[in-house]
Structures are given as structure tokens and as C-alpha cells.
Amino acid sequence: MQTHKIAVIAGDGIGPEVINEGIKILNEISKIDGSFNFKFTHFPWGCEFYKNTGKMMDDNGIDILREFDAIFLGAVGAPGVPDHISLWDLLLIIRKSFDQYINLRPVKLINGAPCPLKDVKTDDVDMVFVRENTEGEYAGSGSWLFKGKANEVVIQDSVFSRKGCERVIRYAYELAKKENKSLTSISKANALNYSMVFWDQIFEEIGKEYPEVETHSYLVDAASMFMIKDPKRFEIVVTSNLFGDILTDLGAAIAGGMGLAAGANLNPEKEFPSMFEPIHGSAPDIAGKGMANPLATMWSASQMLDFFEHENWAKKVISCIEKILTDKKILTPDLGGTATTKEVGDEIVRLLKTEI
Ligand code: NAD
Ligand code: IPM
Ligand code: MN
């Protein structure tokens, strides 16, 4: 029996509500399959922990997490704790410490998912974002001078290293080649005259190694427009940390909403654990009401199954999500239904057992 050791950080707001359902389906899958199982270890880290201890996680949190095969994270952030503290001291520090330099975010409109765009077929929205996940605009470098004075100055540096750009761009080319898809780079070299000029140069350099891959390069402003007006232009997309963050919320909006959008933070070399999470936040506006959509978390569980090379199960989870969406009977309010988070989880378990 193969055992996958998973660290669970359910976190804040709707995090625990959705992560419970994710764990429920992973346990069900391991039960049906019988050749592997999951050992979940829960950590109480997050904003409540911060309010009690002044820290978002234990001092040796990163050392503790290092021993796991993967991390399953709900969401981080709560009113009363500054976001730049809660996110930097938990989510972002994990992505950086474990060199999870690939943030893989599917933007895929599956059957039954609502799309606000006119005249769009499901096949037209079928992208995978490869977001740089450890540096760029999120380098965390800068200074705050003359605080509170009239001459106050704030500097936020972006850091684009050759190694950092090359590895994420190469990963995206490899993915495009493997899947026989086009690759689009999204940048902004007309205004960001160092970082994005460098990014574009590396995109071209690496491209020489992949003559078979069709490429496109868009400025981020035009890319946002094309994602709405003509989404089928995009297949595999590679972009910087901040642009990837923003464009994947836009992507969520055209592919069923925040309740369906998943992401994997990968350390492809498997030197450190990778982390799987829905891309939405803690949604304080609906937290504690049992109405959060757990399907994004399940989709990220599917990414975890893929990562552990249980590809068939990964696909089955997506088929179950597709089934629940096309049935339209058991959906949370964000998708027009009246079901609770738990009812959606129970229905996916039922589908795993019976339909698929
Ligand atoms: P959010 O993603 O939490 O919520 C945006 C909107 O989408 C809200 O109206 C919310 O109700 C809705 N929504 C999100 N997930 C949903 C789900 N599963 N089902 C149904 N509706 C859902 O973004 P926000 O409001 O900008 O941020 C709230 C907090 O979360 C902040 O503290 C922010 O910093 C944090 N945040 C954390 C993460 C993370 O942990 N990965 C990601 C984004 C934001
Ligand atoms: C995301 C989130 C995070 C990010 C925040 C919470 C720091 O928005 O995962 O998309 O910007 O990466
Ligand atoms: Mn985001």
C-alpha cells in the first residue's frame, strides 16, 4: 500500500469548510482504489493561531512541512489581521521556501459550468496558466523611507532572475510541446523596460529550443481584452507572478467562477513538497454559512492526484465535477443552487461510488 503523507492547512474563513470536502473525496478514492491511501496531518495555522500566538505558524513550521509529500491548503486571511502579514507569513513563505516556482492554474470551461461570455463554446475556454510563483513582483524586496513624513517614499522592487525566468518559461514550453498546444507569453515590455524586456528576451531565447511550438506574445492589457473577446486564442500561457494572479481571477470569471478555480504550486524537481489549493480566498462574506463551493478544492485535489501519478483518478474527479454541474440539482448558491458545501461533497462521493 502506497501512503501519501499530506499536511493539511485548512486556514481561515471558508478554508476549513471546503478542505473537509476535499479530504472526504480523497479518502473515498483511496478506499475504492485500494492500492494507495492518504495520511492527513492537520495544522491549526492561520489567523486564529495568529491572534492567539502572534504567529501565523509555528517557528519550525517550514521544517515540519518539509517531511510531507504534499500540502493541501484551504485559504488564508481574516478581517482583523493585516493581509500582508497573514499571507506573507504562511502562504507566500511556503511557496518560496519550497521553491514551488510553478503555479499551474487551469482555466477550463467544463460542461455545465456557467460562462458570462456570449457565443462561447466549452472548447473555446481551455487554457492552462503557468504562473511564475517565487519572485517577480512578489519578491518582497523594498523599503519604506521617512514613514509618516511629508517626504515619505515607498519602493517595491520586482526581481526577475535569469534562473527564475528560464525555468518557468522552459516548463511552459515543455508542457506546450507535450500537449501539442500553442504557448502564449504575457508581459508588458513597453512600460516595464527592464523586467519585461528581459522576460520577452528569455521567452525568445528558450523558444529556439522548441521550434515545433507555436508561440504568441501579448502585452498584458491586450491579453486581458482577448481573454474576454476571444478566449480560444489561449492554450498554454506563461506569465509573471502578479500578472498570473490577476489574469487567473479573470480566468475564473469566464470558466464558472471562483468556486471552480484551482491551482497547484509545484516544485517540479520534487525536492520539496508541492502545495494544492483553490485559488479563491477565505471569502469572509460567506464564511461559516455552509454555502461555499467546494468544487475548486476538489479540482485542486484532482491536480494532487495527477501529481501522485493517479491520472485516472484525477480525470474521474473532473468527470464527477462535470456531472454535478450538468445535473444542476446539487449546487451551491454561487452556481445558482441551494445546496450546502457538505451536500456537494456528499454528492461527489456518491458519483465516485456509482456513476463513474
Ligand atoms: P475571495 O476569493 O475570498 O472572495 C471573492 C468573492 O468570491 C467573494 O464574494 C466570495 O464570497 C466569492 N467566493 C470565493 N470563493 C468562493 C467559493 N468557494 N464559493 C463561493 N463563493 C466564493 O477574495 P477576497 O474577498 O478578495 O479576499 C478575502 C481574503 O482572502 C483576504 O484576506 C485575501 O487576502 C485572502 N486571499 C487568500 C487567498 C489564499 O489563501 N490562497 C487567495 C485570495 C485571497
Ligand atoms: C492567489 C492569492 C495570493 C496571490 C495572495 C493571497 C497572496 O491571491 O493565490 O491567487 O496573490 O498569489
Ligand atoms: Mn489571487
Side-chain angles (χ1 to χ4, degrees), residues 16 37 62 70 147 152 182 200 209 218 232 335:
N37 64 9
I62 292 296
K147 224 175 197 167
E152 192 163 10
S182 68
D200 284 356
E209 298 168 30
Y218 293 124
K232 61 180 173 305
L335 293 176

Coordinates of all heavy atoms in Angstrom, one line a residue, residues 16 37 62 70 147 152 182 200 209 218 232 335:
P16 N -11.6 25.9 6.0 CA -11.9 24.6 6.6 C -13.1 23.9 6.0 O -13.2 22.7 5.9 CB -12.1 24.9 8.1 CG -11.4 26.2 8.3 CD -11.5 26.9 7.0
N37 N -3.3 5.1 -0.1 CA -4.1 5.9 0.8 C -3.4 7.2 1.2 O -2.3 7.4 0.8 CB -4.5 5.0 2.1 CG -3.3 4.7 2.9 OD1 -2.2 5.1 2.7 ND2 -3.6 3.8 3.9
I62 N 8.1 25.4 8.7 CA 8.7 25.0 7.4 C 9.4 23.7 7.5 O 9.3 22.8 6.7 CB 9.6 26.1 6.8 CG1 8.7 27.4 6.4 CG2 10.4 25.6 5.6 CD1 7.7 27.1 5.3
A70 N 3.0 16.3 0.2 CA 2.3 17.4 -0.3 C 1.5 18.2 0.8 O 1.4 17.7 1.9 CB 1.3 16.9 -1.4
K147 N 8.9 57.3 7.0 CA 7.5 56.9 7.3 C 6.7 58.0 8.0 O 7.2 58.6 9.0 CB 7.5 55.6 8.2 CG 6.5 54.6 7.8 CD 6.6 53.3 8.6 CE 5.9 52.3 7.8 NZ 6.1 51.0 8.2
E152 N 7.7 61.1 2.5 CA 7.6 59.6 2.6 C 7.8 59.0 1.2 O 7.2 59.5 0.2 CB 6.2 59.2 3.1 CG 6.1 57.8 3.5 CD 4.8 57.6 4.4 OE1 4.0 58.5 4.6 OE2 4.7 56.5 5.0
S182 N -0.4 25.5 -28.4 CA 0.4 26.8 -28.6 C 0.8 27.3 -27.2 O 0.1 27.0 -26.2 CB -0.4 27.8 -29.4 OG -1.5 28.2 -28.6
D200 N 10.8 38.9 -22.1 CA 10.5 38.7 -23.5 C 11.7 38.1 -24.2 O 11.6 37.2 -25.1 CB 10.1 40.0 -24.3 CG 8.7 40.4 -23.9 OD1 8.0 39.6 -23.2 OD2 8.3 41.5 -24.4
E209 N 14.9 26.5 -28.7 CA 15.0 25.1 -28.4 C 13.7 24.3 -28.7 O 13.7 23.1 -28.7 CB 15.3 24.8 -26.9 CG 16.6 25.5 -26.4 CD 16.7 25.5 -24.9 OE1 16.1 24.5 -24.2 OE2 17.3 26.4 -24.3
Y218 N 1.8 38.5 -26.0 CA 0.9 39.7 -25.8 C 1.3 40.6 -24.7 O 1.8 40.1 -23.7 CB -0.6 39.2 -25.5 CG -1.2 38.4 -26.7 CD1 -1.7 37.1 -26.4 CD2 -1.4 38.9 -27.9 CE1 -2.3 36.4 -27.4 CE2 -2.0 38.2 -28.9 CZ -2.5 37.0 -28.7 OH -3.1 36.3 -29.7
K232 N -10.4 31.7 -27.2 CA -9.8 30.5 -27.8 C -8.4 30.7 -28.3 O -7.7 29.8 -28.7 CB -10.7 29.9 -28.8 CG -11.0 30.7 -30.0 CD -11.9 29.9 -30.9 CE -12.5 30.8 -32.1 NZ -13.2 32.0 -31.6
L335 N -23.5 29.0 -7.8 CA -23.8 28.4 -9.1 C -25.3 28.3 -9.3 O -25.8 27.5 -10.1 CB -23.1 27.0 -9.2 CG -21.6 27.1 -9.3 CD1 -21.0 25.6 -9.3 CD2 -21.1 27.8 -10.5

